[in-house]
Amino acid sequence: SERYVNVVTDEIYRLDEVIRDFLGLTNPGCAGASQTDVNALVGKVADLIRYEAHTGRVTIALELAPSLPLVAAVPVRLTQAFLNLSLNAIQAMSEGGALTIRSRIENGMICVDFEDTGPGIPPEIQEKIFNFHFTTRKTGTGLGLSITRLILEAQGGSIRFRSRAESGSVFTVLLPAGEGL
């Protein structure tokens, strides 16, 4: 239970930083970047989403490559991007399912996959999902994926996805490995 108090406390500080960031319209680049352990951030995000996943009957599996190189990133922003992708995956699996978060190195890039077993993204909306204010949810703002893409691009990264009807989606974050600050 002390672990969860620490997670909640960390989350409050992180949200405060995110809100200050957006309200202050600070430099969207790498101000505040540091050498960041991607696997550690994935573990933190898994702790943050555990309750929501349990409530939605979603299991979480982590498949993290050992000894990934560090990446130059702003940890609070990368955490936000990973959190957005994880929560989207959970919300897409309204009947329950499995979220697998996988890290690996590929062609000099650190890749983090967020793979769900949801219904997939219909082909007719796939090209719109990163647009500001595009949402398929009644209570959604349509900002999660567009902000996620902006966060990643500001740190020299990118995002791609693949989705097939009835077999889920995989969103892949790509970040340059071992980049200097």
Side-chain angles (χ1 to χ4, degrees), residues 90-166:
I90 291 168
Q91 290 162 0
M93 296 181 277
S94 57
E95 305 300 313
L99 169 61
T100 302
I101 307 175
R102 188 178 297 110
S103 69
R104 64 185 192 287
I105 189 118
E106 179 184 296
N107 300 325
M109 300 291 277
I110 292 175
C111 300
V112 185
D113 296 325
F114 295 81
E115 181 172 352
D116 68 58
T117 58
I121 301 165
E124 64 272 14
I125 68 165
Q126 287 187 12
E127 64 185 40
K128 301 176 191 170
I129 64 169
F130 290 106
N131 293 354
F132 275 103
H133 298 298
F134 178 79
T135 184
T136 58
R137 293 198 303 266
K138 286 180 185 164
T139 58
T141 61
L143 294 175
L145 283 176
S146 49
I147 287 174
T148 297
R149 185 173 68 178
L150 288 175
I151 288 170
L152 296 172
E153 288 176 352
Q155 297 180 85
S158 61
I159 185 168
R160 66 184 185 213
F161 75 96
R162 62 182 192 275
S163 185
R164 289 198 316 267
E166 306 309 317

Side-chain angles (χ1 to χ4, degrees), residues 19-101:
I19 290 165
R20 287 173 190 272
D21 223 13
F22 281 104
L23 292 180
L25 298 174
T26 57
N27 175 3
C30 271
S34 59
Q35 294 295 331
T36 302
D37 179 341
V38 169
N39 284 344
L41 291 189
V42 168
K44 183 177 173 182
V45 167
D47 284 340
L48 291 172
I49 64 172
R50 213 165 290 287
Y51 176 78
E52 182 134 359
H54 176 73
T55 303
R57 298 184 322 272
V58 171
T59 60
I60 303 168
L62 301 183
E63 297 176 6
L64 306 179
S67 58
L68 277 183
L70 299 177
V71 63
V74 182
V76 66
R77 291 191 181 147
L78 210 48
T79 300
Q80 183 65 50
F82 290 175
L83 195 55
N84 288 352
L85 292 169
S86 299
L87 291 173
N88 277 1
I90 291 168
Q91 290 162 0
M93 296 181 277
S94 57
E95 305 300 313
L99 169 61
T100 302
I101 307 175

